[in-house]
Structures are given as structure tokens and as C-alpha cells.
Amino acid sequence: MKIPKYIQIIGKTYKVELHKKLLEKEGLYGCVDFDTHIIKLQSINDSICRSEIEHTLLHEIVHTLFRELGKDKLVTDESFTDIFASVLLQIVKQL
């Protein structure tokens, strides 16, 4: 799966940034800022592989979809978001 520099999500453009020390500084593989429309991802290193980054990107996209669709309770549901992202990754890898 390609990690894009920008992605359109329900009519809004989100920038995707790779950070070398996101995990170290913030304890996260990824996060999304809804106000600035930026998705931050930990870059690939010895501790994190490409498939984990792909899953994290989809995880953050799912958060964004829920937010843009007005599903506020789902935006903060990490467990459901993670399962949804895992299923999406399985589908995307077949395309």
C-alpha cells in the first residue's frame, strides 16, 4: 500500500507527514489533527515495520471518516477504529 503525501477524505484534503520520532516523543504510531488536516505517522524504523504504518494510516483515516460523518462517539472509540482499520487493510491488500 502506498503512503500518500495528501489524501482526500470526504471533500477535505489531509496532509500525511512521516516523523522519525513520533513514537519516542508522543508515544504514538500516528495521530490526526482535525483542525489543521494533518495525519502524522511514525516513519519506518527498526521498531516499526511498513505493515504497522499502513495499519496506522488506515486507523487515522477511519477516525477522520467518523469525524467528517459526524459520528462523534465513534471518533473516540479506539477499539472499534482499530478493528475497522484492520479489516480495511485486509481488503486493500487484495486490490
Side-chain angles (χ1 to χ4, degrees):
M1 182 175 101
K2 179 182 170 187
I3 305 295
K5 292 183 180 181
Y6 294 91
I7 188 164
Q8 288 281 324
I9 302 173
I10 307 182
K12 294 184 180 173
T13 302
Y14 279 77
K15 183 177 182 181
V16 179
E17 298 178 344
L18 294 172
H19 292 261
K20 291 182 180 180
K21 298 192 177 203
L22 186 64
L23 181 60
E24 183 180 310
K25 288 183 178 179
E26 299 185 39
L28 302 169
Y29 283 0
C31 60
V32 60
D33 185 321
F34 298 116
D35 295 325
T36 61
H37 299 127
I38 295 174
I39 295 172
K40 295 180 185 179
L41 300 173
Q42 171 65 47
S43 59
I44 298 168
N45 61 35
D46 293 339
S47 302
I48 184 168
C49 65
R50 182 165 189 84
S51 65
E52 290 174 300
I53 297 302
E54 292 170 348
H55 176 266
T56 302
L57 174 59
L58 289 175
H59 178 100
E60 299 308 329
I61 289 170
V62 170
H63 276 305
T64 305
L65 286 170
F66 292 154
R67 169 74 180 245
E68 296 300 333
L69 292 170
K71 301 297 182 183
D72 295 334
K73 288 184 180 180
L74 291 175
V75 171
T76 57
D77 188 334
E78 288 295 326
S79 178
F80 183 74
T81 298
D82 208 50
I83 291 167
F84 199 105
S86 293
V87 171
L88 278 179
L89 185 57
Q90 290 175 12
I91 294 167
V92 168
K93 287 191 175 211
Q94 296 178 62
L95 300 176

